[in-house]
Amino acid sequence: MNQQENIEKKLTRSFFKVASITASVAILGLIALIVFSNRYSYALKNFGFAQGDIGKAMFEFADVRSSLRAAIGYDEADAIAAVVKQHDEHKKAFIESFAKVEETIVSEDGRKTYNEINTELEEYWRIDTEIMNLGATTDRELCKQAQDIALNELVQYFFDTHIL
């Protein structure tokens, strides 16, 4: 009997050791999975092109530029009013998305680039507003002047500064 109890205790103790090790490894695996999942979600949200804040900002900026071109190119007052409204909405969305980009900057180079773009955007928005104020009309002569500014100043400024 004594030997049987001794074997039973050893088996029970061994079983609990194996179960404890297995449970510990499972818990560590679960923690690692949660950490990796959170880091992946963070990277995708902040640095993923189409899904991230940078991608959103770029798409909104492209829509701002498109709306500006439409506003100075359309002939009907209703169409012009609609694209001017779209322009303002996209500009607001761009500014919000661009501000979110700032929250995720982690490097000194990233901060420097962000600040350079932000500084250049002030002049870009000034030219953008000038063109919109001048050319968002049915007066073809004013539209032509706005188009000239867009072609000569805005496009040149855009490519000289390489913003977005």
Side-chain angles (χ1 to χ4, degrees):
M1 216 39 161
N2 193 13
Q3 188 176 10
Q4 189 176 1
E5 286 179 18
N6 196 14
I7 291 175
E8 186 179 335
K9 282 183 182 179
K10 285 181 180 180
L11 284 174
T12 304
R13 204 173 325 144
S14 295
F15 176 78
F16 281 120
K17 282 182 184 178
V18 170
S20 297
I21 291 171
T22 304
S24 297
V25 169
I27 290 171
L28 287 175
L30 183 61
I31 290 171
L33 183 64
I34 290 170
V35 168
F36 290 140
S37 176
N38 285 338
R39 296 307 300 164
Y40 177 77
S41 295
Y42 173 83
L44 187 61
K45 178 183 181 288
N46 295 311
F47 306 111
F49 178 70
Q51 298 85 357
D53 294 327
I54 292 172
K56 289 176 189 174
M58 291 175 65
F59 284 122
E60 293 299 341
F61 189 78
D63 288 340
V64 167
R65 293 183 61 225
S66 177
S67 298
L68 176 66
R69 288 191 301 271
I72 63 177
Y74 286 172
D75 293 326
E76 294 181 23
D78 290 342
I80 293 169
V83 294
V84 167
K85 183 180 178 194
Q86 287 175 358
H87 175 272
D88 294 342
E89 290 170 356
H90 290 301
K91 182 177 176 181
K92 180 182 176 194
F94 168 79
I95 291 169
E96 290 171 1
S97 293
F98 194 63
K100 288 181 182 176
V101 170
E102 182 179 22
E103 297 170 6
T104 60
I105 297 173
V106 294
S107 71
E108 207 49 48
D109 287 339
R111 171 72 49 203
K112 181 181 174 210
T113 301
Y114 178 88
N115 289 336
E116 288 172 2
I117 292 171
N118 199 30
T119 300
E120 298 297 338
L121 279 171
E122 292 174 20
E123 179 64 13
Y124 183 88
W125 293 133
R126 185 196 65 73
I127 298 169
D128 175 88
T129 301
E130 177 185 349
I131 293 168
M132 188 63 79
N133 290 340
L134 182 64
T137 180
T138 56
D139 183 335
R140 294 318 308 155
E141 185 58 37
L142 291 176
C143 288
K144 175 70 172 115
Q145 290 175 18
Q147 290 169 3
D148 289 342
I149 294 170
L151 287 172
N152 297 325
E153 288 183 44
L154 192 64
V155 170
Q156 189 62 41
Y157 183 78
F158 182 77
F159 287 109
D160 286 348
T161 59
H162 307 290
I163 58 174
L164 302 178

